[in-house]
């Protein structure tokens, strides 16, 4: 069964003014759609066709580079749309907050370390909050790699990710990646991050 | 040594409508400038403090390499455009391209493919090796053929910042317009 581009769980303009509607429309309707179509094309007629995206990512080192790039792009953007929402809790709560305090000392420390990972990723990529066992770590990956891939330096379950490809922010923020990452924290869907952390 | 941002060799709107003034304002005035500033800050107190750019590109790692190579790559990129470009190669370059790739069109097709398929941020290059043979190479992020002992002749920046304001996700449209402002005279001068 072919992978399908999932609908955004909110309107294109729902994340304004932090992430603009034009960016969302192109990011979802063009970039994410292209990853989805290219993934399906790369898998068509292969033994991998029909596996779940998680199964594919867990053995990505055995796959052609087109599956790595587009499978990563397909999964990462699915996660990205879901870990954002208009409104909602402005900070983590409950067990997630406890785990963040344990791992980083405080929410503020976490935010600084996550931001640093996002700003220092040179070129295109992602910064992640990753669940390892009951704990949390921060990592970043190049291009469309992610922590579910067997070849990732830091492996685990991504519970929050920020896209730092320039296409994620260039129309609104141009070269100012720090402003984009700062704005991103205004639209993080902490309920969804907590759901992913609970597993 | 301290590096400075070279001025663009043409007006900021000279490449309109193919590469917009707005894109050049950010690409040259912000991105290229940031690489220069970062490089100058990073080399202080290191073995590269008094090194030239070629040495930095060949020997440095990490942030010093990234910023040093991006200083070179962008200078090299901006220098090759003109509002009144020579639209085809001539002389020895024309002959070398036809020998290597069969024709100018075949070369362009291969170069376009290299530029379009470089995944993520990076560059496509026409290079010459020590024996004088031409080839097309791709580099990711700050990658620069000078590090590999190759002589770059022509490059296309495919970081999204090079085209996103003008073309968004349509990288092939940017590459098609790239040829309309590429000055083959500059490329010939590098052979």
């Amino acid at each position: 069964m072919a992978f399908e581009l999932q609908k955004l769980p909110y309107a294109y303009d729902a994340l304004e003014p932090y992430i603009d509607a034009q960016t969302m429309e192109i990011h979802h309707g063009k970039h994410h759609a292209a990853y989805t179509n290219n993934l399906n094309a790369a898998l068509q007629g292969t033994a991998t066709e029909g596996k779940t995206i998680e199964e594919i990512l867990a053995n990505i080192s055995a796959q052609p580079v087109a599956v790595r790039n587009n499978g990563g792009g397909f999964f990462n953007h699915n996660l990205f749309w879901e870990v954002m929402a208009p409104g909602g809790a402005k900070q983590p709560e409950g067990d997630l907050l406890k785990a963040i305090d344990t791992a980083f000392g405080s929410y503020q420390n976490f935010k600084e370390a996550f931001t640093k990972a996002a700003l220092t990723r040179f070129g295109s990529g992602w910064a992640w909050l990753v669940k390892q066992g009951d704990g949390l770590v921060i990592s970043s990956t190049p291009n469309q790699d992610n922590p579910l891939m067997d070849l990732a330096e830091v492996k685990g379950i991504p519970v929050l990710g920020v896209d730092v490809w320039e296409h994620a922010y260039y129309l609104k923020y141009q070269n100012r990646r720090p402003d984009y990452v700062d704005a991103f924290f205004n639209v993080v869907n902490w309920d969804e991050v907590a759901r992913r952390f609970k597993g | 040594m301290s590096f400075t941002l070279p001025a663009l060799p043409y007006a900021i709107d000279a490449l309109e409508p193919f590469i917009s003034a707005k894109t050049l304002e950010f690409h040259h005035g912000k991105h290229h400038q940031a690489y220069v500033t970062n490089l100058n800050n990073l080399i202080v107190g290191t073995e590269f403090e008094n090194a030239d750019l070629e040495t930095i590109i060949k020997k440095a790692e990490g942030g010093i390499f990234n910023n040093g190579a991006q200083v070179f790559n962008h200078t090299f990129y901006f220098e090759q455009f003109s509002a009144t470009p020579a639209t085809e190669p001539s002389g020895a370059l024309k002959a070398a391209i036809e020998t290597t790739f069969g024709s100018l069109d075949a070369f362009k097709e291969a170069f376009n493919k290299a530029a379009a398929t470089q995944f993520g941020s990076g560059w496509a290059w026409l290079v010459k090796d020590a024996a004088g043979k031409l080839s097309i190479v791709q580099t990711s992020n700050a990658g620069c053929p000078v590090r590999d002992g190759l002589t770059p002749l022509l490059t296309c920046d495919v970081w999204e910042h090079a085209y996103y304001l003008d073309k968004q996700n349509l990288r092939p449209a940017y590459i098609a317009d790239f040829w309309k402002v590429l000055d083959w005279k500059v490329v010939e001068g590098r052979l």
Side-chain angles (χ1 to χ4, degrees):
Chain A
M1 195 183 84
F3 291 106
E4 283 180 25
L5 178 67
Q6 72 181 32
K7 277 192 177 169
L8 275 188
Y10 37 75
Y12 281 132
D13 64 358
L15 307 181
E16 294 265 14
Y18 306 108
I19 300 181
D20 61 287
Q22 191 191 7
T23 292
M24 290 299 293
E25 198 166 345
I26 297 170
H27 201 175
H28 176 263
K30 303 293 182 183
H31 291 280
H32 195 187
Y35 290 124
T36 307
N37 293 337
N38 293 341
L39 174 63
N40 287 328
L43 292 177
Q44 195 169 25
T46 72
T48 311
E49 205 175 4
K51 289 195 193 302
T52 68
I53 191 62
E54 288 82 4
E55 288 171 329
I56 294 170
L57 296 175
N59 291 294
I60 204 71
S61 58
Q63 293 289 336
V65 69
V67 176
R68 174 178 173 178
N69 291 341
N70 293 295
F74 171 74
F75 175 91
N76 294 346
H77 288 90
N78 280 348
L79 179 144
F80 187 53
W81 311 136
E82 289 180 4
V83 298
M84 295 189 291
K90 287 297 164 209
Q91 291 201 6
E93 298 162 358
D95 289 346
L96 176 61
L97 180 60
K98 270 188 219 160
I100 285 175
D101 285 344
T102 302
F104 309 106
S106 68
Y107 171 72
Q108 197 53 38
N109 287 356
F110 150 74
K111 198 175 161 186
E112 280 170 26
F114 186 87
T115 299
K116 189 178 175 196
L119 299 188
T120 56
R121 166 51 53 189
F122 188 74
S124 303
W126 294 74
W128 304 99
L129 178 63
V130 183
K131 184 182 177 192
Q132 287 183 333
D134 292 331
L136 290 168
V137 294
I138 287 166
S139 76
S140 80
T141 54
N143 295 332
Q144 294 297 352
D145 287 357
N146 69 45
L148 291 176
M149 291 183 174
D150 58 354
L151 45 69
E153 272 179 46
V154 176
K155 286 187 268 295
I157 298 167
V159 297
L160 174 67
V162 65
D163 187 348
V164 293
W165 281 61
E166 288 172 323
H167 66 231
Y169 59 87
Y170 211 80
L171 294 179
K172 184 169 175 70
Y173 298 98
Q174 295 86 43
N175 60 305
R176 300 181 302 280
R177 192 191 287 186
D179 291 353
Y180 157 69
V181 175
D182 198 43
F184 168 76
F185 278 102
N186 289 292
V187 290
V188 171
N189 180 354
W190 286 106
D191 294 333
E192 173 63 15
V193 179
R195 192 190 67 76
R196 286 169 183 264
F197 177 69
K198 197 174 170 193
Chain B
M1 63 193 277
S2 186
F3 297 95
T4 53
L5 179 70
L8 286 179
Y10 37 77
I12 199 83
D13 61 355
L15 309 182
E16 295 263 13
F18 307 110
I19 299 177
S20 71
K22 193 172 179 200
T23 289
L24 285 181
E25 276 167 23
F26 284 103
H27 202 179
H28 177 260
K30 302 293 183 184
H31 292 281
H32 198 185
Q33 177 67 65
Y35 293 125
V36 171
T37 305
N38 292 344
L39 178 63
N40 286 333
N41 290 335
L42 286 168
I43 56 178
V44 174
T46 74
E47 61 181 299
F48 299 106
E49 187 154 10
N50 296 304
D52 60 22
L53 207 47
E54 190 177 338
T55 304
I56 289 172
I57 291 168
K58 286 186 168 164
K59 304 245 164 83
E61 304 288 344
I64 295 181
F65 170 77
N66 284 341
N67 286 284
Q70 286 293 74
V71 169
F72 174 89
N73 294 348
H74 283 90
T75 302
F76 193 84
Y77 172 78
F78 290 129
E79 274 176 354
Q80 67 192 0
F81 299 125
S82 166
T84 52
T87 54
E88 288 191 7
S90 61
L93 180 62
K94 181 175 193 281
I97 285 175
E98 287 173 355
T99 302
T100 309
F101 304 100
S103 67
L104 178 62
D105 282 348
F107 158 69
K108 279 190 180 177
E109 200 178 311
F111 188 91
N112 288 350
K113 190 178 175 196
T117 59
Q118 169 57 39
F119 191 70
S121 302
W123 301 78
W125 304 83
L126 173 65
V127 299
K128 183 180 77 167
D129 69 13
K133 191 177 179 328
L134 301 188
S135 63
I136 293 169
V137 297
Q138 299 167 305
T139 61
S140 67
N141 294 338
C144 177
V146 171
R147 190 169 175 98
D148 304 315
L150 298 166
T151 303
L153 303 176
L154 160 64
T155 194
C156 185
D157 186 349
V158 293
W159 282 61
E160 288 172 324
H161 66 229
Y163 60 87
Y164 213 79
L165 295 178
D166 295 340
K167 308 292 198 300
Q168 296 83 48
N169 60 303
L170 304 175
R171 190 191 287 186
Y174 156 69
I175 300 166
D177 275 358
F178 163 89
W179 294 114
K180 294 180 181 156
V181 286
L182 176 77
D183 190 352
W184 280 98
K185 244 190 193 61
V186 177
V187 183
E188 279 175 47
R190 294 163 169 172
L191 189 65

